[in-house]
Amino acid sequence: MTVFAPQDLFPQLAGWVANLDDTLPGKPIKDSVYAFAQIEVGHLLALAVLGGTSVLMNLRLIGVGLTDEPPRVLHRNLAGWTWAGLVVILITGLLMGAANGERLYTSEAFTAKMIGLLAGIIMTFAITLPASKNDGRLGPVSRIMGVIGLAVFMFAVWVFLQAKLANPGLWHVIMAGGLIVLFAARGLTRIVYLGVMLAMVAAQQVLTHLVYKADDFAHLDPVNKGFAWAFAGVILLTAVIQSVASGRSPESGPFVKGMAFAAILVWIMTAAAGRWLAFA
Ligand code: HEM
């Protein structure tokens, strides 16, 4: 039983969704042997472009990655690709959705994905692009929009958490956050962080593979959920310590760095929800 699937939020659309793949453009895609797969390839290529350009610009705002160039040069070279990636991922997504409406209509992962998409668009166009264009400086309107985008992102994570069969997808976001912080942390912070993370990974493996049997879900679920929150806590704490400790880099201060970190994770979460669409 679902709670946050589109069918629960918009029951009045059931009839329209049921006929979607019998009308254009859904029907020819559904009837074709190759079309859906070819469109999905386009979807994933667009994801690589959108996600890749977003990661490069946001890592630069955090103060790592392509640090030989100022953020405005990355903006000049990449902003057009970010736009192209977004337009193509929307077109290919809508085409696949037209041929596969029922799957999306009954999926809580799809609701999390669409809220994530909205948060990703707000954070990319309110934070990543203007901050990159102005070498890390942000006006008050962008800052307010960034905070709104972060709130929508947190709501998307909450909906994803409720999606019983899909919420393991959030481990993708935790892993990505963990790697970005490892990349951005410096000196003793990085050494202590790495030590703590490795100890936690070892403890989780011992508990879930040696202490509890593979089918003992009564114990495994709370253990894994506990570790998910613990990993997220350690990653966020280290991110805050690192962005405060590094203070104001020539370009961006702790606010922009924190938002740039979130502006990467929001696309990872949306992609994870997209991947888990196939499962739930
Ligand atoms: C209007 C927006 C979008 C719609 C309607 C849409 C729809 C879809 C559909 C129908 C699928 C195929 C699911 C299946 O296998 O049955 C899919 C897959 C996927 N989507 Fe989207 N999508 C949209 C936007 C996005 C965005 C913005 C991202 C990432 C940032 C994304 C990432 C993915 C991923 C990773 C897959 C899984 C591909 C695979 O592993 O086979 N999608 N999407």
Side-chain angles (χ1 to χ4, degrees), residues 260-280:
F261 181 53
I264 296 175
L265 294 185
V266 70
W267 287 122
I268 305 272
M269 190 229 87
T270 308
R275 180 71 215 99
W276 282 79
L277 261 180
F279 305 131

Side-chain angles (χ1 to χ4, degrees), residues 36 40 43-44 47 50-51 85-86 89-101 103-104 110 113-114 116-117 121 266-279:
F36 192 94
E40 191 152 23
H43 202 60
L44 291 174
L47 171 58
L50 172 65
L86 182 66
I89 213 166
L90 292 178
I91 293 172
T92 52
L94 292 171
L95 288 174
M96 288 193 293
N100 201 359
R103 164 166 290 294
L104 306 186
F110 184 67
K113 183 181 180 181
M114 289 301 103
L117 171 62
I121 290 173
V266 70
W267 287 122
I268 305 272
M269 190 229 87
T270 308
R275 180 71 215 99
W276 282 79
L277 261 180
F279 305 131

Side-chain angles (χ1 to χ4, degrees), residues 74-96:
L74 270 76
H75 177 273
R76 194 173 63 227
N77 297 331
L78 299 177
W81 288 105
T82 305
W83 272 100
L86 182 66
V87 170
V88 174
I89 213 166
L90 292 178
I91 293 172
T92 52
L94 292 171
L95 288 174
M96 288 193 293

